[in-house]
């Protein structure tokens, strides 16, 4: 299929690459002409402007916008919509607030332009691993664009099948779902990221307890000389707490057991706050997710070993720059 992609940053560029690897034609645009030309050298069709991008696409056009949530995405969607025709589709693959999706979809529907929201997980590893996607929008449009989503998804891989899934949507086993109407994709991704906060915080607190047990501040008869890198590694091998986040933690600790190069100041990109807000709106108790969010706020005041591990995990899976002097995440095994 042919698709336009606006925004070629950490994830947008790799989305284009993965699609091109599977035979799709990508027309690409970014404010950085150098980035556009770089992808053109890999087979993409370059566009110097939004006008050029829309002109290069055949109808019905599909434009995937991959930009940070907020004003820039809002304006870009408006600018792209002004250049499209009835029957065309806009996809927002960033971490947009789901209520904005509902509003945008309604506004674009009046212009007979379809709107799809795609909660996209995979970070800087998505090019090789694929992207887990939670998709919201009209079913018929999602079905028409299925070749795009199928190419981006990780596929079933070697993960054992879940028993009794035979009657359920097979796309979930491939790493993507149609969650429901507009906004539902980003809502599911929002909660996913809220859970991510809690998981990361649990690892961070646990490893800080382990690290403190080796502290010289403790009496010698209460002190253990624990190797946290070895502990992370052994937990990867058959433990019930094994996960990709633990894999990334083990890689960071093997590289530097003190994590001294990490600031420990951990940002929050919005989804954690929105998840807690949704919990409040729906009167759902979410103490773990709330505490994890507040821990990130506190990390900006002073930093601990646990917060440096949080920073290391966030950098490793998403390329979020919170450490001086690093431009690439450490490689996981």
């Amino acid at each position: 299929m042919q698709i336009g992609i606006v925004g070629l940053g950490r994830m947008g560029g790799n989305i284009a690459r993965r699609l091109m690897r599977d035979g799709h034609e990508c027309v690409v645009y970014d404010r950085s002409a150098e980035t556009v030309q770089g992808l053109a050298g890999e087979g993409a069709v370059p566009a110097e402007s939004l006008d050029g991008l829309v002109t290069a696409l055949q109808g019905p056009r599909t434009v995937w916008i991959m930009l940070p949530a907020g004003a820039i995405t809002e304006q870009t969607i408006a600018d792209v919509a002004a250049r499209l025709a009835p029957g065309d589709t806009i996809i927002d693959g960033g971490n947009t607030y789901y209520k904005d999706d509902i509003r945008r979809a309604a506004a674009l529907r009046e212009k007979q332009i379809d709107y799809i929201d795609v909660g996209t997980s995979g970070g800087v590893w998505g090019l090789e691993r694929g992207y887990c996607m939670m998709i919201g929008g009209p079913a018929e449009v999602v079905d028409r664009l299925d070749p795009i989503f199928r190419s981006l998804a990780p596929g079933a891989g070697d993960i054992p099948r879940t028993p009794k899934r035979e009657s359920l949507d097979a796309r979930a086993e491939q790493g993507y779902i149609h969650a429901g109407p507009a906004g539902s994709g980003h809502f599911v991704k929002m909660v996913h990221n809220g859970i991510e906060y809690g998981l990361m915080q649990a690892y961070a607190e646990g490893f800080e307890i382990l690290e403190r047990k080796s502290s010289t501040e403790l009496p010698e008869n209460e002190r253990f000389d624990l190797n946290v890198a070895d502990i992370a590694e052994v937990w990867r091998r058959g433990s019930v707490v094994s996960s990709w986040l633990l894999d990334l933690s083990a890689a960071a600790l093997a590289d530097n057991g003190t994590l001294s190069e990490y600031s420990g100041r951990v940002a929050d990109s919005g989804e954690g706050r929105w998840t807690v807000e949704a919990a409040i709106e729906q009167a759902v108790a979410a103490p773990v997710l709330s505490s994890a969010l507040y821990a990130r706020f506190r990390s900006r005041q002073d930093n601990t070993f646990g917060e440096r591990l949080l920073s290391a995990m966030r950098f490793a899976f998403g390329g979020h720059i919170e450490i001086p002097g690093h431009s690439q995440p450490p490689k996981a095994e």
Side-chain angles (χ1 to χ4, degrees), residues 162-244:
T162 301
K164 301 181 180 179
R165 273 206 56 89
E166 292 76 14
S167 63
L168 301 176
D169 191 343
R171 291 175 293 188
E173 291 183 310
Q174 300 300 313
Y176 67 110
I177 60 168
H178 178 213
S184 63
H186 278 146
F187 183 81
V188 175
K189 177 56 163 50
M190 176 190 80
V191 177
H192 164 283
N193 282 26
I195 293 170
E196 176 188 295
Y197 280 33
L199 291 173
M200 292 173 70
Q201 187 65 29
Y203 281 125
E205 292 176 9
F207 275 97
E208 182 161 357
I209 293 168
L210 294 169
E211 191 264 347
R212 288 284 183 91
K213 194 61 175 173
S214 302
S215 172
T216 56
E217 296 177 3
L218 292 174
E220 188 172 356
N221 65 340
E222 296 182 12
R223 194 185 315 153
F224 295 147
D225 185 17
L226 298 176
N227 186 312
V228 290
D230 286 350
I231 293 168
E233 187 62 30
V234 77
W235 283 355
R236 294 181 62 211
R237 314 280 175 177
S239 164
V240 296
V241 299
S242 60
S243 72
W244 187 37

Side-chain angles (χ1 to χ4, degrees), residues 36-326:
V36 171
Q37 290 306 312
L39 269 173
E42 299 178 43
V45 177
E48 296 182 355
S49 64
L50 291 179
D51 285 327
L53 179 134
V54 171
T55 299
L57 294 171
Q58 301 171 357
R61 305 172 185 88
T62 300
V63 180
W64 184 305
I65 295 171
M66 201 66 185
L67 295 168
I72 186 171
T73 293
E74 192 75 35
Q75 187 59 55
T76 302
I77 288 174
D79 291 343
V80 170
R83 293 163 168 80
L84 297 182
D88 292 343
T89 302
I90 291 176
I91 299 173
D92 179 6
N95 284 325
T96 288
Y97 186 40
Y98 76 98
K99 291 184 179 180
D100 290 336
D101 291 316
I102 296 170
R103 170 179 53 78
R104 290 173 188 162
L108 290 172
R109 197 176 302 121
E110 295 180 0
K111 301 180 178 181
Q112 299 180 54
I113 295 172
D114 292 308
Y115 180 84
I116 302 293
D117 55 288
V118 180
T120 311
S121 182
V124 296
W125 301 91
L127 176 59
E128 300 302 331
R129 292 171 57 102
Y131 297 92
C132 174
M133 290 169 292
M134 298 133 269
I135 305 163
E140 63 276 12
V141 181
V142 174
D143 290 345
R144 177 171 62 82
L145 296 175
D146 187 74
I148 295 292
F149 302 130
R150 190 168 61 248
S151 292
L152 289 174
D158 58 1
I159 299 173
R161 295 196 70 183
T162 301
K164 301 181 180 179
R165 273 206 56 89
E166 292 76 14
S167 63
L168 301 176
D169 191 343
R171 291 175 293 188
E173 291 183 310
Q174 300 300 313
Y176 67 110
I177 60 168
H178 178 213
S184 63
H186 278 146
F187 183 81
V188 175
K189 177 56 163 50
M190 176 190 80
V191 177
H192 164 283
N193 282 26
I195 293 170
E196 176 188 295
Y197 280 33
L199 291 173
M200 292 173 70
Q201 187 65 29
Y203 281 125
E205 292 176 9
F207 275 97
E208 182 161 357
I209 293 168
L210 294 169
E211 191 264 347
R212 288 284 183 91
K213 194 61 175 173
S214 302
S215 172
T216 56
E217 296 177 3
L218 292 174
E220 188 172 356
N221 65 340
E222 296 182 12
R223 194 185 315 153
F224 295 147
D225 185 17
L226 298 176
N227 186 312
V228 290
D230 286 350
I231 293 168
E233 187 62 30
V234 77
W235 283 355
R236 294 181 62 211
R237 314 280 175 177
S239 164
V240 296
V241 299
S242 60
S243 72
W244 187 37
L245 287 172
L246 184 59
D247 294 347
L248 298 173
S249 298
L253 290 167
D255 184 56
N256 179 351
T258 67
L259 303 174
S260 57
E261 73 270 39
Y262 290 89
S263 71
R265 293 175 57 87
V266 184
D268 67 288
S269 53
E271 299 87 353
R273 299 187 191 207
W274 300 335
T275 302
V276 172
E277 288 173 4
I280 294 170
E281 288 176 359
Q282 295 157 199
V284 174
V288 172
L289 307 192
S290 300
S291 295
L293 174 64
Y294 297 145
R296 293 195 175 198
F297 296 162
R298 198 205 64 78
S299 76
R300 296 160 210 170
Q301 299 169 4
D302 53 26
N303 310 127
T304 66
F305 181 86
E307 286 156 358
R308 292 198 297 275
L309 184 60
L310 275 177
S311 187
M313 281 187 278
R314 196 166 183 266
F315 180 66
F317 72 74
H320 303 284
I321 306 298
E322 296 171 338
I323 54 177
H326 275 67

